[in-house]
Amino acid sequence: MIPVQGYKGHKVAVLGLGRSGLATAAALRAGGAEPLLWDDSPEARARAEAAGWTCHDLTREGAFHGVAALITSPGIPHLYPQPNRVIAAAMEQGIPVDNDIGLFFRSWAMPDWDNFETTPRTVCVTGSNGKSTTTALIHHILDHAGRPTQMAGNIGRGVLDIEPAQDGEVVVLELSSYQTDLARALTPDIAVFTNLSPDHFDRHAGLGGYFAAKRRLFVEGGPDRAVIGVDEKEGVFLANQIATSREDDRVIRISAAKKLGDFGWSVFARKGFLAEWRKGRQVGSIDLRDIAGLPGAHNHQNACAAYAACRSLGIAPKVIEEAFHSFKGLPHRSQTIAVKRGVRYVNDSKATNVDSAEKALEAFSNIRWIAGGLGKEGGVKSLQPHLGHVRKAYFIGHSGRDFALELDGLDHEICETMERAVERAAEDAEPGDTVLLAPAAASFDQYKSFEKRGDHFAELVVALPD
């Protein structure tokens, strides 16, 4: 646990009692603060009280008397579409509002660091797609290289729940826009921006607000080095804002779509080969084509981002390449579940929007595509140009019939349920085919989470005859 610094002897309100909220309360108490816990959900309050905490009603009159700060969980709206009433009340009374990420960065450094030979570092990864895989891959490379490392944030443990740093340790954090938007302290040593695609418009009042939340990690955080994906205009803009010149190697541009040889430092992937260029010449190369844990161009972008971050930490290209080959990938992200009767079954349940589904569809050939769920604003018509590898689609869930109408001319079957979709896809599939779950939709019409959806797919696949 990281004891929170700066609030010893003060009352600090904590709103939201999920995983990060309870970890925050414990870290505040460990730092000498008096946490005042509240959640709008009676069930969440009951769970906290069962764990030994006392709840304080932050909605009552005078609840913030003597309170030094309000720490809110990232999922609770603080501005759009409407601020939570507790957060609104705190702001109206001038109470500073922060989150666990802000507390982490003000508390991470400890006095015993003065005795370390190598100062601990933080690597923060944000973006729309690929940030979980990139975060896990960086952590895996560091572990393979023998560097002490922990992984936290939007993946794994809460940031305040990790252990205090060892000498030379590197903490790798995945940060969502919800987390970067409100944190009052953002001081990563290395910051990574993977890409940007439309998402969370209600929370950020549009694409501009969504990008602005992610941009904070770079322009307000002031990292020593920035790794920036430049396959979208927002990444090109961000790299241009930070770099002082074309030769400025504090910015490492990465791409899975184009050559980037004319900058101070760049890493890109073309035709399955990763290349590192510095000051106009190539200094490293890795063949990514046969790396099972990183299939497709979208994972090649993740590989470029992880490679660049780890090279910034002084890890040799050969060590990184070895780690790539031992990386198993993450559950629900282009995860091969099984190969049965010559048919590959891939779980990409995390593909909850059209952009991530597009990347999955481009990564495989001879696809039997399982898609559908709770469709998002804008539909799936933009996927039409990316269906060349799809032999047949099997639509499920609330939006399955809408998907079929939007994707003109695609051979398809309305299956409604995952059971029926897996059964029919398996019956139709031939050796060399890939049955791909890439829903392009949220899961909440039939499942509690995309993880539950992916787990169900995996269970059904495992039960198929060999």
Side-chain angles (χ1 to χ4, degrees):
M1 180 187 299
I2 306 298
V4 172
Q5 300 180 38
Y7 289 113
K8 187 175 183 179
H10 293 277
K11 295 179 179 179
V12 179
V14 177
L15 177 64
L17 302 179
R19 179 188 61 140
S20 67
L22 293 178
T24 296
L28 283 162
R29 186 165 62 184
E34 180 186 349
L36 307 179
L37 279 64
W38 181 251
D39 195 296
D40 291 332
S41 163
E43 293 79 13
R45 297 198 299 270
R47 287 194 297 270
E49 288 170 348
W53 294 98
T54 300
C55 291
H56 299 260
D57 187 353
L58 296 178
T59 67
R60 63 177 174 77
E61 184 98 13
F64 286 102
H65 180 72
V67 171
L70 170 65
I71 312 302
T72 179
S73 294
I76 302 174
H78 59 271
L79 187 57
Y80 302 114
Q82 288 292 331
N84 176 277
R85 58 179 176 164
V86 172
I87 297 175
M91 289 184 173
E92 287 171 2
Q93 295 175 52
I95 305 297
V97 179
D98 203 350
N99 61 18
D100 60 338
I101 304 303
L103 295 183
F104 170 83
F105 279 111
R106 68 182 288 168
S107 307
W108 172 231
M110 298 286 185
D112 60 353
W113 286 21
D114 292 339
N115 301 319
F116 288 173
E117 289 187 13
T118 304
T119 302
R121 312 285 295 280
T122 55
V123 178
C124 294
V125 181
T126 194
S128 295
N129 297 303
K131 58 184 180 291
S132 294
T133 297
T134 300
T135 301
L137 183 54
I138 293 170
H139 179 256
H140 175 75
I141 296 166
L142 290 165
D143 186 61
H144 178 81
R147 298 281 291 271
T149 179
Q150 296 183 76
M151 179 174 67
N154 208 40
I155 185 173
R157 304 165 72 179
V159 293
L160 294 171
D161 197 35
I162 66 174
E163 299 304 317
Q166 301 178 42
D167 193 339
E169 185 161 32
V170 181
V171 168
V172 190
L173 304 180
E174 178 193 339
L175 299 183
S176 71
S177 59
Y178 290 9
Q179 293 169 309
T180 58
D181 196 21
L182 192 62
R184 297 173 74 90
L186 284 169
T187 53
D189 295 290
I190 300 169
V192 179
F193 176 83
T194 58
N195 50 57
L196 195 82
S197 62
D199 210 352
H200 305 307
F201 279 10
D202 57 336
R203 180 66 180 264
H204 299 294
L207 184 61
Y210 177 50
F211 176 51
K214 294 186 177 296
R215 179 178 173 273
R216 290 190 72 238
L217 184 64
F218 299 83
V219 297
E220 296 185 36
D224 294 335
R225 181 154 277 123
V227 176
I228 300 177
V230 294
D231 288 338
E232 295 88 25
K233 61 181 181 293
E234 290 85 1
V236 174
F237 171 78
L238 182 58
N240 184 268
Q241 280 206 312
I242 298 172
T244 57
S245 68
R246 178 189 291 271
E247 295 76 27
D248 186 352
D249 65 2
R250 295 174 307 155
V251 175
I252 308 177
R253 291 167 172 85
I254 63 166
S255 173
K258 53 192 174 185
K259 182 179 179 179
L260 300 172
D262 295 331
F263 298 97
W265 199 346
S266 62
V267 180
F268 58 90
R270 295 183 72 199
K271 298 180 179 180
F273 286 87
L274 178 151
E276 177 188 5
W277 282 63
R278 299 192 70 170
K279 298 180 180 178
R281 66 186 185 90
Q282 185 171 328
V283 296
S285 178
I286 296 176
D287 184 349
L288 301 172
R289 293 173 298 175
D290 295 326
I291 297 177
L294 296 168
H298 63 301
N299 273 311
H300 293 177
Q301 184 188 55
N302 299 334
C304 289
Y307 179 98
C310 290
R311 290 290 288 131
S312 297
L313 294 165
I315 298 176
K318 184 174 180 56
V319 174
I320 297 173
E321 182 174 7
E322 291 171 353
F324 279 176
H325 281 280
S326 60
F327 182 64
K328 302 300 184 185
L330 290 178
H332 316 297
R333 296 161 177 85
S334 296
Q335 176 194 18
T336 296
I337 300 299
V339 177
K340 296 197 171 189
R341 299 182 177 180
V343 178
R344 184 180 187 184
Y345 292 85
V346 176
N347 168 23
D348 205 331
S349 184
K350 184 63 170 66
T352 58
N353 57 41
V354 293
D355 187 71
S356 50
E358 172 192 322
K359 290 176 170 60
L361 291 168
E362 295 287 354
F364 303 98
S365 57
N366 301 323
I367 296 171
R368 304 283 175 176
W369 179 34
I370 299 176
L374 191 61
K376 296 191 175 182
E377 186 177 349
V380 294
K381 191 168 288 186
S382 63
L383 289 175
Q384 192 81 50
H386 306 283
L387 302 177
H389 295 163
V390 177
R391 300 189 66 182
K392 184 176 178 180
Y394 306 81
F395 292 124
I396 64 174
H398 178 271
S399 298
R401 295 181 187 277
D402 294 335
F403 282 18
L405 291 171
E406 289 181 58
L407 299 172
D408 224 5
L410 176 66
D411 186 16
H412 69 274
E413 189 172 325
I414 303 297
C415 294
E416 302 288 356
T417 67
M418 186 71 76
E419 289 91 343
R420 180 64 176 166
V422 171
E423 178 187 11
R424 290 293 301 123
E427 289 173 356
D428 290 345
E430 300 172 354
D433 286 355
T434 295
V435 175
L436 171 66
L437 172 65
S443 60
F444 304 120
D445 58 332
Q446 294 179 317
Y447 300 93
K448 289 184 178 180
S449 66
F450 73 83
E451 292 97 339
K452 294 293 185 184
R453 177 172 61 190
D455 289 343
H456 189 205
F457 171 79
E459 290 167 6
L460 293 168
V461 168
V462 170
L464 291 171
D466 290 321

